[in-house]
Amino acid sequence: MNATSNRGMWGSRLGFVLAASGSAVGLGNIWKFPYITGEYGGGAFVLIYLFCILLVGLPIMYAELLMGKVTQKDPVGAFKYLQGTNSSWQIVGWMGVISAFVILSFYSVVAGWSMAFVARSAVGAINYDMGVEAVKGLFTALYEDPFEQIFWHLMFMIMVVGIVSGGVKKGIERWSEILMPGLILLLLVLMGFAMTLEGFREGVRFMFSADFSQVTPPAVLEALGHSFFTLSLGMGAMITYGSYLPEDANIPRGGMWIVILDTGIALLAGLIIFPIVFTFDLESGAGPGLIFSTLPVAFAQLPAGGILSAAFFVLLGFAALSSAISLLEVAVAFFHDELGWDRRLAAVGLGAVVFLLGIPSAAYGQFFDFMDNLSTNYLLPLGGLGVSVYAGWVMDREDMNGAFGGKLGDNVMRIWLLIIKFVTPFLVLLVFLNKIGVIKV
Ligand code: PHE
């Protein structure tokens, strides 16, 4: 058996789309998108975000899937394969592997919060008429208890390791086929509930009516950084998932589905959360605690609140799990392909490292913010810049055409090339230079 055939491969097209959209749809959609939309004032932010998805996210999505499919390698191996073992392009891949550790370490802590809330809902700790302060106190108490956070972080990492150890088809794909439909079902149920609320119209208006005075440089920055995060771009997750695609895979179609599902689910999450926020007079700009400290307030005022709240946090846990496995998979693929480690050993060993790395995030809010900021605002945009410059300016056209396999029409291909060459890298660079203060917009 050669190195390629024991790496694993997706079993079906649908399985790939579910796994890759499972990677994309995560805490970014349900936890982060609503709270940053709330902080930046709603509709205008949503509009900028949609532009970023179209001009930056989608083109890079294609580039990453393409690089994975051509090389059938992990992110570092992909650059080595294309540019030679000594090429400095592999730094982009290395940054991806590092980002996987950084992101997963704090991501798992947040996923742990949602498990903690499932447990609280299940034992009836979020109940009818318990008083606003008491409900808000639930999150504060959790946030101030590092041991409980570390406990749930550990539970979550054990699940992630268990799934990734199972392999590409029998672990990741099989679980994505359960988690994604489950998530969509729960979302639709909660959406049905949100539509019955009196604040529904106001929620819709908040999300879709744009007030352009809110379009500030920080809002654009945030939207751009988030478009990488939410689509799992800039760190090699899509290179890795693309590397398990068979020869005849259709990248344009698959990539488009991933982006549509990710964006659709983020909007749906907003349409569930904001009506609740407005109906119960909660604070839309409450920040990271939005869904943990304000939403339970609403749940506690409803007769069936415990069940709704359990449903909501199970949904969040599902979304987090299918993303977390893709983060660990980037590191596992690297240790397997480049260093010859056994997959199971890599999953357990690297999972343990991530667990340790997450402990300071569970204990210190500032460390958590540092890891979040480092990955979302620096590592991912830089990685995305690397991929788009590489795909636009360096990558061999033959390889590229081969990977698209004639599935992208000539004209669309030309447009994609123009965008990935001239638009995407410059937008990312502009925003990045502004971020580190080199230029002031
Ligand atoms: N896309 C995931 C989310 O929205 C996060 C993620 C980032 C996953 C990078 C993998 C790689 O929650």
Side-chain angles (χ1 to χ4, degrees):
M1 201 162 17
N2 65 29
T4 310
S5 60
N6 75 22
R7 296 181 74 242
M9 178 124 329
W10 304 115
S12 70
R13 277 174 202 206
L14 182 66
F16 160 69
V17 170
L18 289 176
S21 54
S23 165
V25 176
L27 296 172
N29 304 60
I30 297 161
W31 165 67
K32 204 163 184 184
F33 174 72
Y35 94 69
I36 54 182
T37 301
E39 283 182 334
Y40 288 100
F45 180 81
V46 173
L47 205 64
I48 308 172
Y49 165 77
L50 293 176
F51 267 108
C52 291
I53 294 287
L54 204 66
L55 291 179
V56 178
L58 185 66
I60 297 183
M61 174 67 73
Y62 283 179
E64 287 203 16
L65 291 175
L66 188 71
M67 286 182 64
K69 190 185 156 204
V70 176
T71 60
Q72 309 267 298
K73 293 265 184 302
D74 67 287
V76 175
F79 281 103
K80 283 193 192 163
Y81 177 98
L82 292 165
Q83 290 306 115
T85 30
N86 293 324
S87 157
S88 14
W89 278 105
Q90 60 182 289
I91 296 174
V92 179
W94 276 102
M95 269 179 17
V97 176
I98 295 169
S99 311
F101 287 97
V102 173
I103 300 177
L104 188 51
S105 71
F106 73 86
Y107 201 83
S108 169
V109 172
V110 181
W113 296 346
S114 79
M115 288 174 73
F117 270 76
V118 173
R120 281 169 173 62
S121 315
V123 298
I126 298 176
N127 54 41
Y128 193 35
D129 257 356
M130 69 187 274
V132 172
E133 288 315 308
V135 187
K136 285 193 173 162
L138 289 173
F139 182 64
T140 322
L142 174 66
Y143 195 68
E144 284 168 0
D145 182 352
F147 293 104
E148 195 189 342
Q149 291 185 64
I150 292 168
F151 169 77
W152 291 113
H153 163 51
L154 177 65
M155 294 299 118
F156 185 75
M157 281 310 299
I158 290 176
M159 295 197 291
V160 175
V161 167
I163 295 177
V164 173
S165 310
V168 175
K169 200 188 316 187
K170 297 214 179 82
I172 300 176
E173 182 170 351
R174 205 185 67 191
W175 275 93
S176 305
E177 284 170 354
I178 301 171
L179 294 171
M180 282 307 281
L183 178 127
I184 293 173
L185 189 75
L186 284 170
L187 266 173
L188 293 177
V189 170
L190 288 167
M191 182 69 197
F193 159 71
M195 286 171 78
T196 63
L197 295 173
E198 63 189 73
F200 186 68
R201 282 165 149 264
E202 198 181 342
V204 174
R205 200 171 321 122
F206 180 74
M207 280 196 52
F208 297 114
S209 66
D211 165 7
F212 287 97
S213 65
Q214 304 260 15
V215 183
T216 55
V220 179
L221 264 175
E222 187 76 34
L224 190 95
H226 186 65
S227 66
F228 282 105
F229 187 83
T230 190
L231 291 173
S232 307
L233 297 174
M235 50 80 63
M238 292 300 165
I239 299 183
T240 309
Y241 274 22
S243 76
Y244 305 128
L245 281 170
E247 191 54 43
D248 63 347
N250 188 333
I251 289 183
R253 189 185 301 160
M256 185 68 85
W257 268 113
I258 301 166
V259 172
I260 291 175
L261 280 168
D262 186 75
T263 310
I265 290 179
L267 295 176
L268 212 56
L271 287 176
I272 292 170
I273 289 165
F274 289 112
I276 301 182
V277 166
F278 293 122
T279 305
F280 296 94
D281 253 342
L282 308 170
E283 173 57 64
S284 63
L290 177 68
I291 62 173
F292 292 100
S293 58
T294 53
L295 280 194
V297 171
F299 292 138
Q301 292 178 31
L302 296 160
I307 296 173
L308 278 174
S309 139
F312 181 81
F313 290 108
V314 166
L315 168 136
L316 192 63
F318 276 17
L321 190 55
S322 58
S323 299
I325 56 184
S326 72
L327 285 160
L328 187 62
E329 179 61 22
V330 170
V332 168
F334 168 75
F335 278 80
H336 177 272
D337 292 357
E338 302 307 304
L339 308 174
W341 286 30
D342 168 66
R343 157 175 287 277
R344 227 171 259 276
L345 179 72
V348 174
L350 303 173
V353 172
V354 171
F355 168 67
L356 294 177
L357 200 62
I359 292 178
S361 284
Y364 306 103
Q366 276 153 340
F367 190 80
F368 178 104
D369 293 342
F370 167 77
M371 299 294 258
D372 183 3
N373 185 30
L374 174 69
S375 52
T376 312
N377 294 327
Y378 296 89
L379 294 172
L380 296 186
L382 274 180
L385 183 64
V387 169
S388 61
V389 170
Y390 183 77
W393 297 89
V394 184
M395 190 170 172
D396 186 74
R397 290 283 171 272
E398 290 292 304
D399 282 345
M400 215 170 232
N401 289 333
F404 274 135
K407 303 261 170 35
L408 197 62
D410 285 348
N411 288 330
V412 186
M413 176 86 176
R414 248 175 249 133
I415 298 173
W416 175 75
L417 267 176
L418 274 178
I419 295 181
I420 195 108
K421 241 179 148 153
F422 298 107
V423 183
T424 313
F426 292 100
L427 271 180
V428 181
L429 197 64
L430 195 72
V431 170
F432 187 71
L433 291 180
N434 177 253
K435 175 91 200 166
I436 57 176
V438 176
I439 49 169
K440 270 274 154 270
V441 187

